Amino acid sequence: MNARVTPQSGPATIRRAVARDARRLTRLVRGSRAYEGQYAAMVADYRVGPDYIETHRVFIAVAADEHESRVLGFYSLVLVPPELDLLFVADGVQGRGLGRLLVAHMKCEARAAGLDRVRVVSHPPAEGFYRSVGAVHTGTVSANPPAVAWDRPELEFLIPPAVAGVSSAVA
C-alpha cells in the first residue's frame, strides 16, 4: 500500500522502505529525543540495516513537498510472530497526527496479511500514545540488561476483519 496522507504537519507519502533508506531510518532512531537520558544506551548503537528492511514490512513516511526525501517517520511490522517492532516519528513533527496515520496504515497492512492482533513492546514513555490509538495493555516485559535496563509495557492491537464493501485504505 502506498498512500498519500495529510497529517497536520503537511502532506506526506507512506511507502514501502527499500534498502537504501536504511541510513536515514537509523539516523531517525539514534537521534530521537525520546531516547535521551536513561534511555540513550538502548539506541546508541542501534542500526536499521538493509537486511532488516528486506526481511520485514517496513514503511516510511516522507514529506511529499520535498521530492519525498525528508523522513518524517516509519514503522516495522513483523509477521511471525505478529509485532509492531519499531515506530518512530521525527521529533519536529510529533504531535501532529503522523504517528496515528502510521498506526492506521500498520493496521491495514496487518489486516491484509491476515493478522487478527499485533503485539507491541513499548518504550515506557510511548505507552500513552499506543493506548490513545487503540492498543490495550496486556502485561509487562521485564528488563533484560544490559540491552534494556527497565521494564516495558506490553500492549496489543486487535485487528478486526475487513467489513465487506468498505475500503480499508489509508488515504
Side-chain angles (χ1 to χ4, degrees), residues 7-62:
Q8 293 172 343
S9 59
T13 299
I14 299 175
R15 63 164 173 82
R16 187 83 183 245
V18 294
R20 72 177 178 273
D21 293 319
R23 285 187 189 162
R24 294 188 301 164
L25 300 185
T26 296
R27 276 194 303 270
L28 181 59
V29 170
R30 289 182 182 175
S32 174
R33 284 193 318 250
Y35 285 88
E36 291 179 331
Q38 69 175 342
Y39 302 116
M42 185 173 177
V43 297
D45 295 323
Y46 197 88
R47 180 178 167 269
V48 179
D51 53 335
Y52 181 89
I53 291 170
E54 291 171 359
T55 302
H56 302 295
R57 294 186 183 207
V58 180
F59 288 86
I60 181 173
V62 292

Side-chain angles (χ1 to χ4, degrees), residues 2-3 11 16 30 34 36 63 69 74 76 86 97 103 112-113 123 128 133 156 166 171:
N2 185 349
R16 187 83 183 245
R30 289 182 182 175
E36 291 179 331
S69 62
F74 77 100
S76 172
L86 300 168
V103 168
H123 179 48
V133 292
E156 184 175 75
V166 177

Side-chain angles (χ1 to χ4, degrees), residues 53-85:
I53 291 170
E54 291 171 359
T55 302
H56 302 295
R57 294 186 183 207
V58 180
F59 288 86
I60 181 173
V62 292
D65 58 347
E66 298 178 18
H67 300 64
E68 299 184 357
S69 62
R70 186 169 58 113
V71 176
L72 302 175
F74 77 100
Y75 75 87
S76 172
L77 176 63
V78 175
L79 297 182
V80 179
E83 183 170 356
L84 177 61
D85 187 38

